Amino acid sequence: MFKTNLRPVTFLYMLLALCAFSTASHAISGIEKPVLRVVISEAPTNMDARYATDASSLRLLRLITYPLVEVKDGNPLVTPISSKIWQEQYQNYYIQLKQGVHFTDGTLLTPALVKEYFSSIITGDSPVKGALKNVEAIDIVDGNIIVFRLKQKNVWFWSSLKDVLILKPEAGRIQTPVGLSDFKLVAHDTLGNVTLEAPREKIEFLVVKNPIVKLLKLMKQEVDIVYSDIPVELFQHGVDEGYQGISQPSASYTYMGFNMAAGITSDVRLRQALSLAINQQEMIDTLLQGHAVPASSILLPDHKYAWAEPLNYNPQKATELLDALGYKPNAQGVRLHVRLAITTNPFIMRVAQVVQAQLAQVGVAVDIASSEWGTFYGNIKKGNFESYILSWVGDLDPNIYDYIFNSRMMPPNGANRGRLLDPEMDALLAVMMMDESEQKRQQAVMDIQKRQHEQVIYVPLWRKNNLILTSPQISGCQIPVDGGYEGLLSCVKN
């Protein structure tokens, strides 16, 4: 059992816990196959893998289907739907499909269907389109081999393919995905609750935003697992009350981003001042209490290309920069206002309030604008923000920098959300993406990370541990570093 030395939970939490234990638990009978009931915080917003960008949708889709290729430690690997992969001169990439693979509705996986699926991405408005912009043609050879022919060399193209999950193509948007794993989606209601079913098991995902309600449902035996996104105070309370707690390092990278094309945050000097006024370690200590580490590179710390971005908390220097920029405090001590866009996630609301308090110390008034995910993300894609808080999730490869910093990757073509237009960055990205020299690519990646630090494209915040609570009847759960729901497949319900 996992134990930590955290501050005592509040009387409110204790009271609610006592109420939970006083509620009679109920047994569920008549179940034909084992059912694992899991609480998650965010509803999936798009079950069409070509358009899904939120973590909840992608995690669910990865239970339903597979990509053509996986990449581990920089090495491409086959998946359950491919049998052989190879490339020529970093310009022609070959995938041989495994024979006899079927979608869950019985349809045979063929090269023609794979080509149709990828063509719909390249010719449509999918956010994945940017990663495939270099594809000149998709050919079928020797009956069962797909060839992606690129306009220019791209040494990272395997990484682009690993992010494309294969579903059975449909006309228009896919509402009910048909994938290639044992699991199929059998229910998806308007609240975002999802049921996946395989021949021998079933997983029910229940969307609950309120963290206290999550814990109560676990205590009342209505669910088996509270999967991540639970406050550390409640996590500790659950552990103290006999529930199994798992805290494992994650690949998530939480950051604060800026609009660099318009408004006051387009001035790099102001972004530098804001960055200097944000106390990363204080937020980790007060909000996460040991269940996080300071974020540095988007790449995991042990990645051979990762560069450790230095912590730069210096409110005195921030004040000096603001003075030099002409932002003088008024009678109330306010120098300027900055809008911060966030979701309605309760934890992110707390993060925003801490950012607000920290920036207030140097005279910056933060106006928090919270909205549901769809509205929030729509505004980010449109550039309708001054600053925002988001996270990248997943074990990412260096080619992510091309997707998020290249001037050609502004939405909807990619995820250059801050509208960065920087010729020096573009030149470094070109070397990273096309040079065949390992040494030159590595140096380019290092320089890209240093450039992002100088330009304050992001203010890195932390990597928050994956936290889950389970009932005593659950054992064996192993959370992947990317927080994926594949970890649920290791859970045993006794």
Side-chain angles (χ1 to χ4, degrees), residues 27-35 37 202:
I28 301 174
S29 59
I31 297 174
E32 298 179 354
K33 61 180 66 176
V35 179
R37 293 180 173 83
K202 181 187 292 187

Side-chain angles (χ1 to χ4, degrees), residues 69 71 76 85-86 93-95 156-162:
V69 179
V71 176
I85 56 176
W86 69 99
Y93 286 77
Y94 296 79
I95 299 98
W156 305 101
F157 190 68
W158 291 128
S159 293
S160 298
L161 290 180
K162 80 168 186 179

